[in-house]
Each structure stands twice: as C-alpha cells, then as structure tokens.
Amino acid sequence: MSGDHARPVAVVIPAKDESARIASTIRAASAIPGVDLVVVVDDGSRDGTQSIAHGAGAVVARHTRNRGKAAALQTGAAVVERRDEHEGRTGTARRLLLLVDADLEDSAAEVGVLVPPVAGGEADLAIAILPPQRSAGGGRGFVVRLAREGIRSLTGWTPTQPLSGMRCLTREAYDAAQPFAAGWGVETAMTIDVLAAGLRVAEVPCALHHRVTGSDWRGQLHRAAQYRDVWRALAVRRLRARRAARPSA
C-alpha cells in the first residue's frame, strides 16, 4: 500500500444516552479494516454509556454536560490528534477520520465502505447514503429539502442525503470545515465548507440501520431544532459568500 492506504483509520463516535447500543456499535466499528482506534465522546449522558463504551474497548472522552454533536466531534478529533502525538506518530499519523453514529449497532461495520474512496484519493469526504429504514420516520422532509437546496445553491452540487452523519474524511477536509456549525447544522455546513475549499465530496451507498425519529412531540421538537440549526448554518455561509463576492475597494 501507499499514501493513505497504509495509514490507520480513527473512528469518532458522538454518543448521548446510548448504553443499549454503544457496545455493539463499537465492536462493529472496530472490525472495519484499517481501524486501530475508536474514540467515543460521551456528550453528557445520564446512563451508563461511558462505562459500557470503555468496557467495549473504546477510548472515552466525556462532556459533563450536553454540548451537541459538533462539539463532540471536535473533542473526538482532538483526542485522536493527542493520541498520535503521544504515540510519536509522524508518517503514520491517523489522517483519516471515520464519523459514526452511536446507534448503528452491528450495521456500523458497513461504514467501512466509506474508507476506500478517501484512502485511494478519489474523494476528500465520503458520505453514506442509507437505504430505507426498517421503520419510517415521522418527518415530512422539510429539513432534508432545506439542507439539500442550500448546499446546491451555495456549491452547485446536489447531495442525495445531506444530513447523513456517517462520513469518512481526511484531516485536510476536517480542517477546512472548522469551526463546525453548531448543533444539527454540522453535516450541512461541513459539506459546503469542504467543497468551498476546492476539495472533493462523494456519496457512497451504505447498508446501515439506525433509530429513526418518530412523530410524537419529542420527534417534532427534534426536527424543529434540526431545521433551526441547518437554517443558521446556511445563513452564515450565504453571508460569507456575499461578502466574498463583493468587489474590493
């Protein structure tokens, strides 16, 4: 192997109150070829997520209060970087990050299909396209359409599943997306920022299954928060694009 093919892959799993699923997700992610480090960021859980994740073999970082997915991903990436420094890695630093949701359980092994396009230099960011889930969600697609149209209008590229959280990216792509947008706007903003940096994005079909958000009041509140965060992320990037387009004095 050459280039990133020879480099190990680090998995980052943000988790909150996932004690029932986290162990199987960690075991499945650990079995992905090339993965030699799994970092779980316990984002203010009130259950046994932290201890179960540690027992399943993950390196665990903990937020004492819930800080949101973007902060959890940044904490996880920082842990990976510190481990590289502690282990004295230079040419073998973990340059590929695999972002995995905590509720995938055994299907997390399927996220491995995202690694070859990035490791092989075909893309800087690979995004999973999920199949129809076993149970239908309770939403009507408002947030997906907002994110998809926002990405298209700002970059010219139209994603299939703009909110997909399962992603493999290079450190260069990660750095291009910093600082992450807050809350649930992180995926939409990441895609825009990576493309704006002139890097390549690809979507890859991935046989994943995860818990979908229902149609009860909790589900409706979740979707409202998603819409708010995606709208904010897009507003910031539209303003940035307008400023960049202004002629200099």
Side-chain angles (χ1 to χ4, degrees):
M1 292 184 179
S2 62
D4 278 335
H5 284 287
R7 294 179 178 174
V9 179
V11 172
V12 175
I13 305 176
K16 182 179 185 296
D17 296 329
E18 290 289 357
S19 60
R21 300 172 180 84
I22 192 64
S24 55
T25 300
I26 291 167
R27 287 192 293 267
S30 299
I32 295 171
V35 169
D36 78 337
L37 175 65
V38 176
V39 176
V40 170
V41 181
D42 180 356
D43 192 28
S45 294
R46 297 182 179 181
D47 62 7
T49 295
Q50 180 181 13
S51 59
I52 293 171
H54 180 75
V59 173
V60 182
R62 175 169 169 77
H63 293 165
T64 55
R65 61 178 179 82
N66 180 247
R67 293 169 52 191
K69 187 174 185 179
L73 291 175
Q74 288 172 317
T75 295
V79 169
V80 174
E81 190 168 15
R82 288 197 298 270
R83 294 276 296 198
D84 281 346
E85 293 172 356
H86 178 72
E87 295 168 10
R89 291 175 178 266
T90 53
T92 58
R94 298 175 179 94
R95 303 300 299 172
L96 301 184
L97 298 175
L98 193 56
L99 312 182
V100 176
D101 284 355
D103 62 353
L104 298 181
E105 299 185 278
D106 292 343
S107 76
E110 302 295 336
V111 181
V113 300
L114 301 178
V115 175
V118 181
E122 299 166 27
D124 302 286
L125 167 64
I127 304 171
I129 300 177
L130 280 65
Q133 297 298 290
R134 293 164 184 157
S135 59
R140 299 184 179 181
F142 295 126
V143 184
V144 171
R145 286 193 291 272
L146 174 68
R148 181 183 292 129
E149 177 55 27
I151 293 170
R152 185 205 62 77
S153 66
L154 284 164
T155 70
W157 183 71
T158 304
T160 304
Q161 292 185 1
L163 304 179
S164 175
M166 277 57 70
R167 298 174 173 226
C168 182
L169 68 165
T170 62
R171 271 287 178 175
E172 291 73 20
Y174 175 86
D175 290 343
Q178 296 304 303
F180 280 153
W184 301 106
V186 59
E187 289 90 2
T188 300
M190 183 193 302
T191 301
I192 293 168
D193 293 346
V194 168
L195 288 168
L199 301 176
R200 297 156 299 174
V201 177
E203 291 183 308
V204 182
C206 196
L208 297 170
H209 293 281
H210 68 110
R211 184 176 63 253
V212 298
T213 304
S215 57
D216 60 7
W217 67 269
R218 290 184 182 87
Q220 298 301 333
L221 287 175
H222 172 75
R223 276 182 285 276
Q226 276 188 310
Y227 195 97
R228 175 201 63 205
D229 291 348
V230 169
W231 186 91
R232 286 175 175 172
L234 290 172
V236 168
R237 281 147 187 83
R238 285 174 178 139
L239 178 60
R240 187 183 299 166
R242 286 197 294 270
R243 286 175 175 170
R246 289 174 184 169
S248 56

